[in-house]
């Protein structure tokens, strides 16, 4: 999915949410701060509370290849984040020796990333291929 397609999707989603909010604005607001904490947990700052309400991640695509019939392919796009962050393992995040060398695996915050390319067959039909990779955001989860 291209950046412009994702931006169009986000814009459409925001318009949908805003229009739904306008319809519901005629009803009394019932969520107070206690309701928010019960639903989303304690938030360290006002901006983190906003992130809980507005943050969403685009799902990762399937990595099914197009196959040999689609032999004419464009270059791969750059990687972009997809899916939610998760706890995994990474080299260098484990226990360190007395000299500060950390060569063991340990818990790490991971993020899936994807890239895509469009391939064409002899009839001009297109197929989009995706590749996944995982990046490490930092040690500890």
């Amino acid at each position: 999915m291209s950046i412009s397609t994702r931006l169009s999707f986000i814009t459409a989603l925001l318009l949908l949410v805003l229009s739904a909010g306008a319809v519901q604005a005629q009803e009394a607001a019932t969520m107070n701060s206690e309701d928010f904490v019960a639903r989303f947990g304690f938030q360290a700052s006002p901006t983190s509370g906003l992130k809980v309400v507005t943050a969403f991640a685009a799902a990762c695509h399937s990595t099914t290849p197009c196959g040999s019939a689609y032999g004419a392919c464009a270059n791969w796009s750059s990687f972009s984040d997809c899916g939610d962050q998760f706890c995994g393992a990474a080299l260098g995040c484990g226990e360190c020796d007395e000299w500060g060398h950390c060569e063991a695996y340990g818990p790490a915050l991971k993020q899936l990333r994807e890239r895509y390319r469009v391939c064409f067959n002899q009839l001009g039909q297109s197929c989009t291929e995706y590749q996944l990779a995982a990046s490490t955001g930092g040690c500890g989860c």
Side-chain angles (χ1 to χ4, degrees), residues 7 9 19 32 34 49 61-62 78 84 87 97 134 139:
L7 290 176
F9 172 75
S19 64
N32 58 31
E34 291 81 10
H61 292 88
S62 167
S78 58
D84 294 322
C87 188
D97 62 20
C139 294

Side-chain angles (χ1 to χ4, degrees), residues 17-33:
V17 168
L18 290 174
S19 64
V23 170
Q24 292 178 352
Q26 297 171 355
E27 301 173 9
T30 59
M31 182 176 273
N32 58 31
S33 60

Side-chain angles (χ1 to χ4, degrees), residues 96-101:
C96 304
D97 62 20
E98 62 267 18
W99 298 283
H101 298 114

Side-chain angles (χ1 to χ4, degrees), residues 88-95 102-108 110 136 138-139:
L91 186 61
C93 290
E95 292 188 26
C102 307
E103 296 183 6
Y105 280 88
K110 306 289 270 185
T136 301
C139 294

